[in-house]
Amino acid sequence: MSERVKQIVPDLIEAVRNVLRDHKVTFDEYRAGFGYMIGVQEAKEIPLLLDALLNSTIVEIENQTRGGTKADIQGPYYLDENYPLVTKALAVRPEDADAEDMIIRGCVTDLAGQPVSGAEIDIWHSTPDGLYSGIHDNIDRKYYRGRVLTDADGHYSVTSKTPVAYQIPNQGPTGELLEKHLGRHSWRPAHIHFWVRCVGKRDLINQAYFEGGDYVGNDCCETDHLDLVVPKIYENGKRVMQVNFVLEPAYTISAG
Ligand SMILES: [Fe+2]
């Protein structure tokens, strides 16, 4: 890693210096930028700001070497701990009982189209009012998060409640930058997050979107990953999100 740091950081600093030179940034502007970054740190928004501005670029780079299903941004709301293993349903917050029912299902295959059994899929998404458990409003982390395993045919299926488009936090410095200074919005289309893992296969982080949903293709995080926009299908009143994944082998990726 230190070799990579030696390669990347001087170029990064020089790229920033060139922007400062090109725009003839003044001492006052430099101090204002400095103060902004301190504000981002104090608001604990470093993950939010970086994900909103740069995560989609890392995805773009990753996808240059990826076969099968392309990757998408992870976002800042993954909880880096073991998700509960679920077989039928993600835990639903009691007050969401009347929200729209949803089935998340699909299959995992390899590049040859053969089913991948025993793949682990972490699934997480917002509440029906756009909040994340374990992150917002003291919502218990058990809700709307779970790990499913594919069966012998590579299939998985769980029920949940349909999430909605939501605004990333916009009352702090990230929202101020996007909305006030850059004239952008702070909305993400409704989506479901996935992290697919299987021994011998390359991990896949992804998101599925709802066809026709607000902000699909106009995401504040600038992801243009539209491979997994799921058609609007209902079964017995439940929104069906059919999300299939194709995994490639776990190659060793060369930095060169
Ligand atoms: Fe999200």
Side-chain angles (χ1 to χ4, degrees), residues 36-247:
Y36 176 80
M37 294 308 299
I38 291 172
V40 172
Q41 182 190 19
E42 289 175 343
K44 297 186 171 65
E45 287 195 355
I46 290 175
L48 180 69
L49 182 72
L50 293 180
D51 274 354
L53 298 181
L54 300 175
N55 199 333
S56 64
T57 303
I58 303 302
V59 169
E60 176 190 320
I61 296 164
E62 157 121 354
N63 283 338
Q64 290 171 357
T65 61
R66 181 175 276 283
T69 305
K70 299 296 185 186
D72 198 357
I73 63 174
Q74 177 182 333
Y77 298 143
Y78 180 73
L79 299 180
D80 194 14
E81 295 174 34
N82 290 333
Y83 279 18
L85 193 61
V86 296
T87 54
K88 291 192 169 73
L90 300 189
V92 169
R93 214 170 35 160
E95 56 264 52
D96 300 332
D98 293 335
E100 182 179 83
D101 289 310
M102 173 176 66
I103 302 170
I104 308 168
R105 72 187 183 199
C107 64
V108 179
T109 55
D110 63 18
L111 291 178
Q114 295 301 306
V116 175
S117 65
E120 294 186 335
I121 310 175
D122 282 351
I123 300 175
W124 69 107
H125 63 77
S126 80
T127 63
D129 51 356
L131 303 173
Y132 275 85
S133 68
I135 303 288
H136 302 121
D137 292 0
N138 295 316
I139 302 169
D140 193 306
R141 53 176 294 138
K142 70 184 178 188
Y143 297 121
Y144 304 112
R145 298 179 188 272
R147 176 171 303 187
V148 298
L149 296 176
T150 56
D151 65 16
D153 296 321
H155 289 104
Y156 72 95
S157 179
V158 286
T159 59
S160 190
K161 295 287 185 178
T162 305
V164 292
Y166 63 80
Q167 278 181 293
I168 64 171
N170 68 339
Q171 300 304 307
T174 303
E176 180 189 344
L177 179 67
L178 289 179
E179 296 179 356
K180 183 176 166 190
H181 299 298
L182 301 182
R184 288 165 49 179
H185 66 76
S186 55
W187 286 88
R188 297 219 60 219
H191 56 273
I192 302 166
H193 296 270
F194 299 88
W195 192 331
V196 189
R197 300 179 178 89
C198 186
V199 174
K201 300 286 187 287
R202 189 173 175 183
D203 277 19
L204 176 65
I205 296 172
N206 220 317
Q207 296 187 27
Y209 302 94
F210 295 74
E211 186 180 72
D214 293 339
Y215 303 101
V216 173
N218 180 22
D219 189 332
C220 71
C221 291
E222 298 186 299
T223 173
D224 58 359
H225 177 82
L226 300 177
D227 296 354
L228 296 182
V229 178
V230 180
K232 205 169 191 174
I233 295 171
Y234 284 85
E235 282 181 10
N236 302 318
K238 295 178 180 175
R239 178 72 187 253
V240 177
M241 291 296 281
Q242 177 81 26
V243 186
N244 303 326
F245 302 103
V246 179
L247 300 183

